[in-house]
Amino acid sequence: MDKITIAIDGFSSTGKSTVAKQLAKHLGYVYVDSGAMYRAVTYFAMEQGFIDKNHFDVSGLISKLNEVKISLKYNDELGYSEMFLNGDNVEKKIRTLEVSENVSLVAAVPEIRAQLVKHQKNMGAEKGVVMDGRDIGTVVFPNAELKLFMTASPETRAIRRYNELKQRGDDVTYEAVLKNIQDRDFIDSNRKDSPLVKASDAIEIDNSHMSKEQQFEIILNLVNKTLKSS
Ligand code: DC
C-alpha cells in the first residue's frame, strides 16, 4: 500500500503529539514534532541571551542561525524521537514553561520559519510521515493526503498541560499555564507569516470530551479511509 502524508495542526496542547505518535507507531511511519524544532531554536536564543522576558534581539538571533544544528534521534526505549541541539539532548529542556513563554515570538520570525520549513519538507519528502504543528497542512505539506485540525477549549488544554508539567516536577500554577496557552493562541493565530488557520480541506476534531482511545479510533478510521482511496 502506498504511503501517505498526515498533517496535524491545531492550537497548543490539543493532544496533537499524542495522536501523531500513536499513528506513527501503528503505521510504521516517521513522527516529526515540528513544534520541538521551534522550541529548540528558542532554547538556543535563551541560552545565547537573545531573548528573555523583556527583550528580543531578532537580528542577533538571525545572524547566528547558521550555528543552530537541530536533529531528531529515535529513542528505542521511548518509542519516539528526541530533539538534539548542536549534539546535546535538549528534549526535556525545550518543554519548560519558560521556553513556552518565548517560543511564539521566535516562531513568528520569517527567516526562522523559512529555515525550519525547508528542513521539514525534506524530512517528509519520502511520505510515510506524520507531522504536527501549526502550518503543516497549509504551508509545509499543502498536498498531504490527510489533514487534521485539532481543537479543545483553552481550559481543558490548560488542565492537561498543567498536569503534565506538575508530573515532571515543574513548579507552575494553573493560572500561568492558562495565560501562556491564551497568549500563544493569539500570537500563533495573528502573526503575519503562516498564521495558524485550518486548511480548507482539513478535518476538525474537537477532543474536549474525548478519551485518548476514542480519539485514536476516530482518527484511525479516517486514516484507513484515506489509505483506501489513495
Ligand atoms: O506544538 P508546540 O506547542 O510544541 O509548539 C511550540 C510553538 O511553536 C507554538 O506556540 C507555535 C510554534 N509552531 C509554529 O509556529 N509552527 C509549527 N509548525 C509548530 C510550532
Side-chain angles (χ1 to χ4, degrees):
M1 199 180 276
D2 282 346
K3 291 192 164 184
I4 59 168
T5 300
I6 303 175
I8 307 182
D9 289 303
F11 296 100
S12 312
S13 307
T14 40
K16 301 184 296 293
S17 69
T18 303
V19 74
K21 278 179 199 157
Q22 287 172 319
L23 285 179
K25 195 168 173 198
H26 186 86
L27 298 166
Y29 281 18
V30 173
Y31 163 55
V32 180
D33 172 358
S34 70
M37 300 167 76
Y38 290 95
R39 286 175 179 274
V41 176
T42 304
Y43 181 74
F44 173 88
M46 290 163 71
E47 287 284 285
Q48 299 279 322
F50 291 125
I51 191 166
D52 60 31
K53 275 207 165 90
N54 308 310
H55 94 297
F56 182 17
D57 175 2
V58 181
S59 50
L61 176 58
I62 291 172
S63 74
K64 292 270 180 179
L65 272 186
N66 58 342
E67 291 178 20
V68 182
K69 302 275 179 265
I70 54 177
S71 56
L72 285 164
K73 288 193 192 144
Y74 190 77
N75 179 322
D76 264 333
E77 264 171 46
L78 293 174
Y80 58 86
S81 299
E82 294 179 291
M83 179 56 69
F84 282 72
L85 169 68
N86 296 332
D88 293 332
N89 184 336
V90 292
E91 183 60 32
K92 285 216 175 75
K93 293 174 179 161
I94 60 172
R95 310 280 169 194
T96 62
L97 187 57
E98 287 73 29
V99 171
S100 298
E101 281 169 351
N102 292 320
V103 65
S104 286
L105 291 179
V106 172
V109 178
E111 289 82 353
I112 294 171
R113 300 202 70 79
Q115 186 157 316
L116 295 186
V117 166
K118 203 167 132 201
H119 202 141
Q120 289 152 9
K121 283 182 191 268
N122 283 336
M123 288 192 282
E126 307 286 319
K127 298 210 172 192
V129 67
V130 187
M131 193 176 292
D132 74 350
R134 304 293 186 289
D135 60 343
I136 309 305
T138 49
V139 175
V140 181
F141 300 129
N143 297 323
E145 287 82 358
L146 180 63
K147 299 181 186 179
L148 303 171
F149 190 84
M150 316 282 289
T151 64
S153 72
E155 291 75 16
T156 305
R157 294 185 277 136
I159 289 172
R160 288 177 189 159
R161 181 51 66 114
Y162 172 76
N163 288 338
E164 255 172 47
L165 290 168
K166 275 290 190 193
Q167 252 174 24
R168 284 174 25 146
D170 288 10
D171 181 21
V172 290
T173 63
Y174 168 77
E175 288 70 27
V177 174
L178 177 62
K179 180 171 183 324
N180 174 247
I181 280 179
Q182 289 167 329
D183 288 350
R184 282 204 287 151
D185 283 358
F186 183 82
I187 301 174
D188 295 345
S189 308
N190 289 285
R191 68 180 175 224
K192 283 210 180 74
D193 187 352
S194 327
L196 170 63
V197 282
K198 177 176 164 292
S200 56
D201 51 351
I203 299 166
E204 185 163 335
I205 311 257
D206 182 335
N207 61 20
S208 302
H209 305 290
M210 276 181 208
S211 68
K212 282 182 190 168
E213 293 72 25
Q214 285 170 327
Q215 166 173 277
F216 183 58
E217 204 185 311
I218 291 170
I219 294 178
L220 192 56
N221 266 329
L222 294 172
V223 170
N224 286 331
K225 265 193 214 154
T226 311
L227 280 167
K228 270 191 204 137
S229 63
S230 63

